[in-house]
């Protein structure tokens, strides 16, 4: 794949789960830990990108999250995910932040 994506990930707690939300694709995943939620999200993004490529609909991938999630980025701290998850080659940068409660 020649196209690479710069993605913003918002991590936050909802009920007893950790949530991971890709703001560019508006894809959400959950897990028991931040690491698990982030890995589940990356797996979901990978499936979505593969589906778009197989169906020749890459232009449909970009579906941004509602504005209130983008605004929450101002209330976040960087999440140090290095060596915590495997990032696919089609992601050039992954800006991962967690919401400060």
């Amino acid at each position: 794949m020649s196209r690479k994506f710069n993605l913003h990930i918002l991590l936050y707690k909802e009920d007893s789960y950790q949530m991971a939300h890709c703001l560019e694709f508006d894809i959400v995943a959950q897990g028991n830990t931040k690491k698990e939620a982030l890995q589940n999200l990356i797996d979901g993004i990978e499936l979505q990108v593969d589906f778009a490529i197989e169906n020749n609909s890459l232009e449909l991938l970009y579906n941004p999250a509602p504005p209130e999630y983008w605004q929450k980025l101002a209330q976040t701290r960087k999440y140090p995910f290095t060596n915590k998850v495997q990032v696919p080659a089609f992601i050039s940068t992954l800006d991962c932040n967690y919401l400060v409660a």
Side-chain angles (χ1 to χ4, degrees), residues 2-91:
S2 61
R3 176 140 187 211
K4 292 197 176 229
F5 297 97
N6 300 315
L7 302 178
H8 293 86
I9 308 298
L10 181 61
L11 296 167
Y12 55 92
K13 191 166 184 170
E14 190 170 281
D15 298 324
S16 62
Y17 292 103
Q18 295 293 330
M19 308 300 289
H21 191 164
C22 175
L23 299 184
E24 282 76 13
F25 295 161
D26 199 21
I27 297 173
V28 180
Q30 69 181 30
N32 292 317
T33 64
K34 288 181 183 92
K35 177 184 174 185
E36 184 179 307
L38 183 56
Q39 186 62 62
N40 290 341
L41 178 65
I42 290 172
D43 293 345
I45 291 169
E46 200 163 13
L47 287 171
Q48 184 70 22
V49 169
D50 287 344
F51 178 82
I53 291 169
E54 289 171 9
N55 292 283
N56 199 26
S57 60
L58 200 55
E59 71 281 354
L60 299 177
L61 273 178
Y62 186 73
N63 180 35
E68 60 266 23
Y69 289 95
W70 289 93
Q71 292 166 356
K72 288 181 181 187
L73 280 177
Q75 305 166 30
T76 62
R77 291 191 181 152
K78 292 284 185 198
Y79 178 67
F81 65 89
T82 308
N83 297 325
K84 293 185 189 269
V85 295
Q86 179 116 12
V87 178
F90 63 79
I91 297 176

